[in-house]
Amino acid sequence: MLNFDEQRFLRIQSGAAALGPRLDAVIGSCLNKGAENIFFLGTGGAAILMQPAVQLLQRKSRFPVFSDLAAELVVTGSANLTKKSIVVIPSLSGTTKESVALLAKVKEIGATVLTLVGHEETPLGKGGDHAFVNFAEDDTSCESFYLQSLFIALSILRHRGEIDNYDEIVAELQQLPQLLLGVKRTYEDMAEAFARILAGSDYHIVTGAGNVWPEAFYYGMCILEEMQWIRTRPVHASDFFHGTLELVEKGVSVILFKGEDSLRPLADRVEKFAPGYTDKLTVLDTAQFDLPGISPEVRGLVSPIVLATVLERISAHLEVLRNHPLTTRRYYKRVAY
């Protein structure tokens, strides 16, 4: 595979999977001590990657779950953020400015902080009440963060008696690192073709629904815009029909991500509509990939993880086609802001 280290990938994703038991133990302890709610509070892409876990809890649990932008919460606070809150702060670097400021505020309040980081010797790696460290870099962080936050959500469901097959789901998730590697291998020959579509336009409408919508948003903002300087319009598949559809015409690229949760029909609606008005609809569907031993329920849960692992292969080819390394920046962490 192009610019890819298989053993490094397996090591990082297996590291994320190995955090499952400790995450479950910490969540169980927090709940036993009277935790009343949970906040997922990150910055930029790391915050977006928490959203499938937030969605899962919103739809399957009566335990209050909140999601907010770290920079806003530092300014406004929240009536629901108390010493009885669990706060999850993800940051790959462990140094994200807005999240470090948030950590200080949350510690003043006395909430229990779980930090998910790639580096231990950092403000967030050292500052959380419970720091979960799994080294990763930009090309491997999505799967790692998705998996860790999914473990947190599943643990809450388990300890509250809101799920009856926790052990079976977690057992399937432990198979995921090796299965994702298989997905990458399978897709490699097709990745360049998809990358050529992305390289062929300076503007894309990127859409999806359900738990893959965050990946659509993430890929548009953090990869195509930040790392490739390609303009995008990420829009939820439901909202697509309340504004964005008026921009669809011949020559306009629409990129549709499809997952396997119950909200797949919202993506089907876009897929049915778009070909009548543009000649540039491209669909990436997790259902096309074999995941031996993974049940339909778990396939739905891990759809954003599968998308992320495929999109990494596309990005690897995209940077070569455009002669624009994914590490190139004009402003991000290069100028004062």
Side-chain angles (χ1 to χ4, degrees), residues 265-315:
L266 297 180
D268 291 338
R269 187 182 178 200
V270 175
E271 187 173 19
K272 181 179 179 181
F273 169 85
Y277 303 95
T278 181
D279 54 342
K280 291 187 176 181
L281 171 67
T282 310
V283 180
L284 186 56
D285 186 350
T286 64
Q288 75 185 85
F289 300 107
D290 289 332
L291 296 172
I294 303 299
S295 63
E297 177 184 6
V298 175
R299 286 189 68 105
L301 291 174
V302 302
S303 290
I305 307 178
V306 174
L307 272 180
T309 218
V310 171
L311 286 165
E312 181 277 325
R313 289 290 77 217
I314 293 169
S315 298

Side-chain angles (χ1 to χ4, degrees), residues 85-198:
S85 298
I86 304 168
V87 176
V88 179
I89 304 178
S91 170
L92 181 59
S93 69
T95 62
T96 310
K97 180 179 179 180
E98 297 89 339
S99 295
V100 172
L102 173 70
L103 175 66
K105 186 178 186 72
V106 171
K107 289 177 78 71
E108 286 180 5
I109 293 169
T112 300
V113 181
L114 282 64
T115 57
L116 313 180
V117 298
H119 305 275
E120 183 174 8
E121 298 299 322
T122 59
L124 289 167
K126 290 294 188 181
D129 297 298
H130 304 277
F132 293 84
V133 183
N134 185 49
F135 171 79
E137 293 178 292
D138 286 338
D139 61 331
T140 50
S141 63
C142 287
E143 297 96 330
S144 177
F145 276 142
Y146 276 139
L147 196 52
Q148 291 177 64
S149 58
L150 179 56
F151 280 131
I152 291 171
L154 290 170
S155 179
I156 289 173
L157 293 172
R158 178 173 94 89
H159 288 285
R160 288 176 50 82
E162 294 171 323
I163 189 172
D164 57 10
N165 60 340
Y166 172 88
D167 290 336
E168 291 83 355
I169 291 174
V170 168
E172 290 185 35
L173 293 178
Q174 294 297 330
Q175 303 175 48
L176 208 54
Q178 191 67 54
L179 293 174
L180 292 175
L181 180 57
V183 168
K184 286 180 182 290
R185 289 170 174 164
T186 299
Y187 192 72
E188 183 68 16
D189 289 343
M190 294 172 275
E192 183 179 353
F194 200 114
R196 288 191 179 279
I197 292 170
L198 295 176

Side-chain angles (χ1 to χ4, degrees), residues 37-51 53-55 58 64-81 85-90 96 98-99 102-103 105-106 109 217:
N37 57 40
I38 185 167
F39 280 75
F40 288 85
L41 301 172
T43 303
I48 296 170
L49 299 173
M50 299 293 105
Q51 290 307 305
V54 172
Q55 289 182 16
Q58 287 174 335
V65 56
F66 299 93
S67 177
D68 207 336
L69 299 173
E72 289 200 353
L73 196 60
V74 167
V75 176
T76 64
S78 169
N80 294 295
L81 181 56
S85 298
I86 304 168
V87 176
V88 179
I89 304 178
T96 310
E98 297 89 339
S99 295
L102 173 70
L103 175 66
K105 186 178 186 72
V106 171
I109 293 169
F217 184 23

